[in-house]
Amino acid sequence: MKKFWWQDAIIYQVYLRSFQDTNNDGIGDINGVIKRLDYLKELGVNTLWISPHYDSPMDDNGYDVRDFFKVSEDYGTIDDFKKLLKEAHQRGMKIITDLVLNHTSDEHPWFEAAKDPKHPEHKHYHDYYIWHKPKYDKLGNRKLPTQWVSWFGGPVWEYNPPTDSYYLHIFSKKMPDLNWRNKTMRDALKKVIQWWIDLGVDGFRVDASNHLEKNWDFPDSKPGYEHFSSLPKHHDYLEELGRDLFKPNDLLIIGEAGGATRKEAIQYAGFDSNEFNMLIQFEHCWADTDDTNKITPGKWAKGPIDLPKIKNSFAYWIDVFKGKGWNTIYWANHDQPRIVSHYGDDKNYHQESAKMLAFSLYLLPGTPIVYYGEEIGMTNVDYQNLGNFRDVEVFTEYDNFMRLGASHEVAMQSLRDRSRDNARSPMQWNTDIYAGFSKATPWINVNQNYKTINVHQQLQDKASIYNTYKRLLKLRQEEQLAYADVTFYDLDHPQSFNYKVSGKHHDFIVLCNFKGTELKMSKELNLESYELFMSNYDQTNNLNFKPYEARIYRSIKAKQADNT
Ligand code: GLC
Ligand code: CA
């Protein structure tokens, strides 16, 4: 069954800036990750994905890279990074880093040269980026080349007076997009990748990977995503990286690529693909939007949770990769709100819903990715003023909502519910000042609930969310659930999340009430040869499920030893 080392990976995503500060400047750092390796190992994690650690002006917390070869001074030094690799490897743990290939910072020396005709290397670097001459209306006013909309809201074009042209940025204007059609540029990035491989990283999470190719005819449309996302040619670029760099080095490559079709998914992450080993996609992430809301549109508008959509998405991706490639399972990352606030109930059923979410996900096949703080049920943050937010996307979208006619209150509520800053607050280690994250004021507010929700408390409590995660991750490995066959029950039921998986020693039936009202489970569930194995309530009552109640049943008889 097993073909590659990473099929047994249990990944934990560390948002570096917010995990652990060791030099008390209020910013998480590499030494902080080293300090917590034993904690993570104990939790059952064997692979860390570290969010961008490169030198950066931090417009988008490091996704805007200024120097690919340098560790950000916020986070430490290259020696700290080497030490992290060494300490992790000594514990049998792997380190994968974020790899940002779609854009650089506008402060990257390549862009500094590209934008300035007087720069001695202007000619060489200009074509590393994507430029377009202005258009003019009848009155001679300068117009944007197209109406394409950036992923952070607002236009994708920024005017650069010295060249009298616009550059393209599909994220913030401090993140100009690289021109992947330029082979010299590609070769320069390949040197970057080789450098980190030589240093000893075990793999990469390839950021924004489906955006590398653009439609260079620049047809006008709004928002125009189809002209800068998932264009077929981006596979050629990824294939080139895979062939030359990823595959020969036995790395774990996770590609961030939303919206892949079945065929394309295999192209990205089939066992024989040269591109990635695993894919991060998003169908299950925003299954609760109100599409009629035009004032805070898209993911920003809260609607009822469409549970069938969530379940069908998991079932779909498991099926897509069955026998052909490898699946990932995760609830959320640094780009979504906290899962217990998003799909659970962090006010009335914090523990219950956090555990229910864990039960429903972590027995499914594939490689799990746990987002920092999820294992203790960290929640959204009640940011009071716009000034409490830090994310560049918050500010561009706030302006966008205002343009669309939102009031300040409506805009703020939407940001409080949905912004990425919800999932970026400091890790809650204990009840000390700033939750034990730092002794200095953190770069972003600590969630006020750290006195009740923290690692220290949950380590002592056998029934805590932390200990539930620990048990589930251990169970995954013992039962080799990464390779399990799964059968979903009632995929279209709006309230239950039920499935059966076949482990190495036992079969398991997972039954979850996904909502805050009681639920009677179907009598057709055949639990005769099963016994209750785990539950998120002390008392269980037949097939009557309390709000967010979740149970795992285990087949009573163990399977015959299988020596294959
Ligand atoms: C990815 C990252 C996100 C970042 C964007 C631009 O979507 O996950 O955090 O803002 O790419 O690099
Ligand atoms: Ca620090």
Side-chain angles (χ1 to χ4, degrees):
M1 258 186 322
K2 182 170 163 174
K3 295 187 175 158
F4 305 99
W5 67 264
W6 39 258
Q7 286 176 285
D8 289 324
I10 299 220
I11 302 175
Y12 186 94
Q13 184 190 350
V14 174
Y15 200 68
L16 198 48
R17 217 171 172 71
S18 306
F19 194 58
Q20 175 74 71
D21 178 19
T22 53
N23 64 345
N24 294 313
D25 61 355
I27 300 173
D29 43 51
I30 292 169
N31 281 322
V33 184
I34 298 174
K35 179 174 167 191
R36 297 299 183 177
L37 282 174
D38 289 328
Y39 164 80
L40 294 171
K41 173 119 188 161
E42 186 63 23
L43 174 63
V45 165
N46 58 23
T47 305
L48 306 190
W49 151 21
I50 314 276
S51 60
H53 62 289
Y54 312 96
D55 175 58
S56 162
M58 299 291 168
D59 182 54
D60 188 19
N61 291 352
Y63 283 98
D64 49 321
V65 179
R66 182 166 49 200
D67 184 346
F68 286 107
F69 298 104
K70 191 172 169 228
V71 170
S72 162
E73 283 170 12
D74 283 353
Y75 301 143
T77 63
I78 191 68
D79 286 332
D80 296 340
F81 190 86
K82 285 186 193 159
K83 184 164 177 228
L84 171 64
L85 288 177
K86 189 162 155 247
E87 295 275 339
H89 291 159
Q90 275 171 1
R91 290 168 176 81
M93 299 167 89
K94 308 271 192 185
I95 301 285
I96 71 169
T97 61
D98 235 296
L99 185 62
V100 193
L101 302 175
N102 179 68
H103 41 265
T104 65
S105 162
D106 65 341
E107 296 179 31
H108 192 289
W110 296 346
F111 191 73
E112 302 258 338
K115 70 173 187 192
D116 177 6
K118 295 207 190 88
H119 193 286
E121 289 178 297
H122 175 71
K123 272 217 165 63
H124 181 76
Y125 287 110
H126 187 68
D127 286 338
Y128 271 40
Y129 297 87
I130 301 171
W131 303 90
H132 201 295
K133 283 286 169 198
K135 288 182 177 167
Y136 292 93
D137 67 12
K138 284 193 194 113
L139 299 171
N141 299 315
R142 201 179 63 228
K143 272 180 53 187
L144 300 177
T146 67
Q147 301 174 76
W148 299 357
V149 179
S150 126
W151 292 108
F152 290 169
V156 299
W157 299 107
E158 183 70 14
Y159 185 62
N160 179 54
T163 52
D164 182 33
S165 58
Y166 289 89
Y167 63 87
L168 182 88
H169 63 87
I170 68 168
F171 295 98
S172 99
K173 66 177 179 209
K174 281 188 66 65
M175 297 153 82
D177 280 56
L178 286 162
N179 170 11
W180 272 78
R181 292 194 176 186
N182 180 339
K183 183 171 181 310
T184 317
M185 190 293 290
R186 291 204 304 277
D187 288 342
L189 275 184
K190 281 161 84 173
K191 288 214 177 81
V192 168
I193 301 172
Q194 186 65 56
W195 194 85
W196 287 98
I197 295 174
D198 292 343
L199 201 83
V201 301
D202 302 295
F204 301 103
R205 176 261 190 193
V206 184
D207 183 67
S209 73
N210 58 323
H211 303 309
L212 303 184
E213 174 67 358
K214 318 287 170 352
N215 183 338
W216 284 71
D217 293 335
F218 302 104
D220 203 3
S221 68
K222 199 174 177 180
Y225 302 143
E226 69 279 18
H227 301 308
F228 52 86
S229 296
S230 301
L231 292 162
K233 201 173 160 61
H234 79 278
H235 288 288
D236 296 351
Y237 307 139
L238 296 173
E239 154 95 9
E240 178 181 334
L241 298 182
R243 216 181 39 231
D244 297 351
L245 296 161
F246 299 157
K247 294 294 142 147
N249 291 290
D250 192 25
L251 302 173
L252 161 55
I253 307 296
I254 308 178
E256 185 203 25
T261 60
R262 188 175 274 267
K263 191 162 153 256
E264 208 183 8
I266 300 301
Q267 197 176 353
Y268 278 126
F271 283 133
D272 302 325
S273 156
N274 270 330
E275 301 181 18
F276 308 138
N277 311 115
M278 299 177 202
L279 201 61
I280 296 182
Q281 45 65 41
F282 307 105
E283 271 100 352
H284 66 288
C285 293
W286 298 104
D288 62 340
T289 53
D290 171 5
D291 298 330
T292 64
N293 185 323
K294 303 282 181 252
I295 291 178
T296 57
K299 73 169 186 182
W300 299 98
K302 228 173 151 176
I305 298 175
D306 181 351
L307 182 59
K309 182 171 173 188
I310 297 174
K311 289 184 288 182
N312 278 291
S313 162
F314 287 124
Y316 173 79
W317 286 107
I318 290 167
D319 184 60
V320 166
F321 287 120
K322 199 176 162 111
K324 299 198 185 114
W326 199 246
N327 188 45
T328 49
I329 52 169
Y330 77 102
W331 269 129
N333 59 35
H334 64 295
D335 293 332
Q336 289 107 29
R338 285 287 177 186
I339 194 62
V340 67
S341 308
H342 191 187
Y343 289 162
D345 178 345
D346 62 6
K347 303 263 164 348
N348 306 306
Y349 297 100
H350 176 250
Q351 287 238 7
E352 293 83 352
S353 62
K355 290 178 195 168
M356 180 282 290
L357 287 161
F359 283 23
S360 58
L361 186 75
Y362 289 110
L363 273 75
L364 293 176
T367 289
I369 310 177
V370 180
Y371 186 55
Y372 90 94
E374 179 192 324
E375 78 276 23
I376 54 166
M378 276 175 64
T379 68
N380 280 359
V381 188
D382 208 4
Y383 296 115
Q384 294 302 314
N385 329 310
L386 206 50
N388 294 144
F389 289 95
R390 295 289 176 272
D391 183 6
V392 55
E393 185 195 41
V394 161
F395 301 101
T396 45
E397 290 290 0
Y398 179 86
D399 292 346
N400 198 28
F401 302 156
M402 289 294 141
R403 271 196 300 271
L404 294 169
S407 65
H408 173 73
E409 285 68 33
V410 165
M412 282 299 292
Q413 193 51 50
S414 173
L415 296 172
R416 271 200 287 271
D417 289 339
R418 306 296 226 178
S419 92
R420 309 192 297 182
D421 277 340
N422 279 307
R424 298 176 177 186
S425 66
M427 179 69 176
Q428 294 165 209
W429 294 105
N430 53 46
T431 55
D432 294 352
I433 189 161
Y434 304 126
F437 163 73
S438 174
K439 291 196 173 66
T441 313
W443 70 278
I444 191 168
N445 286 350
V446 174
N447 196 323
Q448 284 311 307
N449 61 20
Y450 75 93
K451 296 244 159 149
T452 48
I453 301 175
N454 63 69
V455 169
H456 179 77
Q457 185 271 326
Q458 295 200 20
L459 284 172
Q460 348 251 314
D461 172 6
K462 276 213 172 77
S464 64
I465 302 168
Y466 166 86
N467 275 309
T468 302
Y469 268 74
K470 189 171 165 182
R471 245 183 113 182
L472 291 176
L473 297 182
K474 190 156 171 250
L475 181 72
R476 280 192 78 76
Q477 299 302 60
E478 285 170 1
E479 292 283 349
Q480 299 193 3
L481 294 179
Y483 310 89
D485 282 327
V486 59
T487 315
F488 286 91
Y489 301 126
D490 288 344
L491 273 176
D492 293 322
H493 193 287
Q495 191 164 352
S496 65
F497 192 132
N498 298 346
Y499 61 94
K500 178 176 170 176
V501 281
S502 55
K504 183 167 182 226
H505 309 291
H506 292 273
D507 288 338
F508 296 86
I509 293 182
V510 182
L511 303 179
C512 301
N513 176 3
F514 209 87
K515 306 245 167 112
T517 51
E518 296 195 353
L519 171 68
K520 197 160 179 70
M521 289 292 178
S522 155
K523 284 210 182 68
E524 270 133 59
L525 292 164
N526 187 358
L527 295 169
E528 249 162 50
S529 50
Y530 285 77
E531 61 193 354
L532 186 62
F533 179 69
M534 278 175 85
S535 159
N536 65 347
Y537 275 83
D538 291 339
Q539 307 271 325
T540 58
N541 176 12
N542 296 326
L543 290 173
N544 298 322
F545 277 59
K546 296 189 209 59
Y548 300 104
E549 180 164 350
R551 303 180 203 163
I552 300 172
Y553 288 88
R554 188 176 76 168
S555 58
I556 295 171
K557 244 180 97 183
K559 295 180 186 177
Q560 296 284 318
D562 173 0
N563 295 322
T564 54

